[in-house]
Amino acid sequence: MTDDRSMPWSRVLGSIASGAVLIVALVAPADAYDFYAGKTVDLIVGNSPGGGFDIYARTIAQHLGGHIPGNPAIVVKNMPGAGGARAGHYISTISPKDGLTIGAIMPGTIMGPLLDEKPDMSFDPTKVDYLGTANTGTYICVTFDHSKTKTFEQALTQKTIMGGIAAGNSTNDIANLIKKMTGAQFDLVSGYKGTLDVALAIERGELDGVCGWNWSSAKSQKPDWIAAHKLNFLAQIGLEPNAELTGMGAPEIWRYIKSDESRKVAEVVVSQQAFERPYLTAQGAPADRVATLRAAFDATMHDPQFLADAGKLGIDVSSLPGAQLQEVVQKLYDTPKAILDQAKRAIRP
């Protein structure tokens, strides 16, 4: 018998993602209509307005209620803070366990208790029910056209100023990881409120670029940059290559990570790209309501009108259902301590 803990992350996540293609239709309980009719569902977003996560959440909110029996209103509320743990804590601990509060958090919020030096333990990512993820994304490492650094090879030999948000955010963790694993001469300037603020600082010339920006966020936030070829793609960062980025000349980061051990450590951190846009609700909500919300989320992800709206905004949709996402998170939390300890050191400044 194969021990799952010995399987490479690329195989584990690949097999789960493949299985996600076969969506099992869930029949909503007969009383779901009676419960949700006339109600309001709060969608708590653990980020500031205007960023990639907020754009996704507001687009999903426009369609999700139509797939929940009784068609409740979906109201988006932003609750940034503590790297997303503030929102996670509210959803899992403070909000009523009635299926009327759901959340959208960052992948770094799920990874925080595993990898942060002083983790915010107010939120336990294994103690929530996942509804699914809207995107299994790819990170990009880019510079703006004013930067002297045009390629990753140049980043290995000359200082490149990258923007970051906070520990636990991919713009920090991925930049630090790549610096440690490859020797890239990144100088990380942290403290920006979100990727939109990072982008504005790049445009002002304060920064060369950003590493750990989600590709779908870049496309939705700065489509004009991409259309005008203002970005230098130093690398794409994901467990599998992104065909669109490969076509644009972005090399995979793995060519610059030389040892097998370094790759194993990097894969733990990069694996969070499997749940780039995770949605969840509190454990303790009635099982039939969790099933209803999961079914509604799946239906939304395959709704032609939602996909059309997402396309207009330039956001990618490559969803993973809640049950599969639950498995991914549990697999992460079963990672051997020795590998996690190395990963922790890799993402520190």
Side-chain angles (χ1 to χ4, degrees):
M1 179 178 288
T2 301
D3 183 350
D4 262 359
R5 290 174 298 179
S6 66
M7 292 177 66
W9 264 106
S10 54
R11 284 182 56 199
V12 172
L13 296 176
S15 64
I16 290 174
S18 297
V21 175
L22 300 175
I23 305 296
V24 177
L26 297 175
V27 178
D31 64 348
Y33 178 90
D34 293 333
F35 175 75
Y36 280 106
K39 298 285 201 320
T40 295
V41 175
D42 288 337
L43 172 48
I44 308 299
V45 182
N47 302 80
S48 300
F53 287 88
D54 186 63
I55 293 171
Y56 266 88
R58 292 181 186 277
T59 308
I60 289 170
Q62 293 174 17
H63 300 274
L64 181 63
H67 294 286
I68 299 175
N71 305 128
I74 310 293
V75 177
V76 176
K77 298 179 179 180
N78 296 86
M79 193 179 290
R86 181 185 175 211
H89 174 72
Y90 175 81
I91 296 158
S92 63
T93 307
I94 298 174
S95 69
K97 312 300 187 290
D98 56 6
L100 290 176
T101 303
I102 61 179
I105 59 174
M106 298 178 289
T109 309
I110 295 174
M111 300 294 288
L114 291 174
L115 298 179
D116 287 356
E117 193 67 30
K118 294 180 179 179
D120 186 329
M121 301 305 290
S122 63
F123 171 58
D124 184 345
T126 68
K127 302 300 183 184
V128 291
D129 287 324
Y130 291 93
L131 307 182
T133 180
N135 186 240
T136 55
T138 302
Y139 301 128
I140 55 173
C141 206
V142 294
T143 57
F144 204 57
D145 59 4
H146 60 56
S147 174
K148 294 180 180 179
T149 302
K150 309 293 186 185
T151 67
F152 198 87
E153 285 77 9
Q154 291 174 333
L156 292 171
T157 60
Q158 61 193 34
K159 185 172 84 169
T160 306
I161 303 173
M162 294 299 206
I165 297 169
N169 186 277
S170 61
T171 56
N172 285 59
D173 290 356
I174 297 298
N176 286 325
L177 175 75
I178 300 309
K179 182 176 180 178
K180 294 280 184 66
M181 296 291 103
T182 68
Q185 301 299 299
F186 290 159
D187 187 355
L188 182 63
V189 178
S190 191
Y192 292 96
K193 291 182 180 180
T195 50
L196 199 59
D197 286 335
V198 172
L200 289 172
I202 291 172
E203 206 161 28
R204 290 194 299 264
E206 296 173 16
L207 304 168
D208 285 299
V210 61
C211 198
W213 198 7
N214 186 277
W215 173 228
S216 61
S217 290
K219 290 195 292 184
S220 61
Q221 291 175 305
K222 289 295 178 181
D224 52 321
W225 286 8
I226 296 164
H229 305 288
K230 290 183 176 291
L231 293 176
N232 305 304
F233 290 91
L234 307 189
Q236 58 170 295
I237 303 136
L239 295 177
E240 300 293 336
N242 178 291
E244 186 178 22
L245 286 167
T246 299
M248 298 173 75
E252 291 185 74
I253 195 62
W254 307 113
R255 73 168 65 173
Y256 305 105
I257 298 177
K258 304 302 182 183
S259 75
D260 289 341
E261 184 176 11
S262 293
R263 176 159 182 150
K264 287 178 183 178
V265 172
E267 282 185 343
V268 170
V269 181
V270 174
S271 65
Q272 62 188 281
Q273 59 86 35
F275 46 85
E276 275 302 300
R277 312 290 173 183
Y279 289 75
L280 50 86
T281 192
Q283 281 188 352
D288 59 340
R289 292 178 199 168
V290 175
T292 295
L293 291 172
R294 281 182 166 179
F297 186 84
D298 285 343
T300 302
M301 294 299 101
H302 295 83
D303 181 337
Q305 188 57 57
F306 165 70
L307 294 172
D309 288 349
K312 291 175 185 176
L313 292 170
I315 60 176
D316 290 334
V317 178
S318 53
S319 61
L320 194 69
Q324 279 80 15
L325 178 52
Q326 205 90 34
E327 291 180 30
V328 170
V329 174
Q330 191 58 57
K331 173 71 180 178
L332 272 168
Y333 276 77
D334 289 340
T335 301
K337 185 177 182 299
I339 296 295
L340 288 177
D341 286 344
Q342 292 183 66
K344 284 180 183 179
R345 292 192 292 271
I347 62 175
R348 296 281 75 80

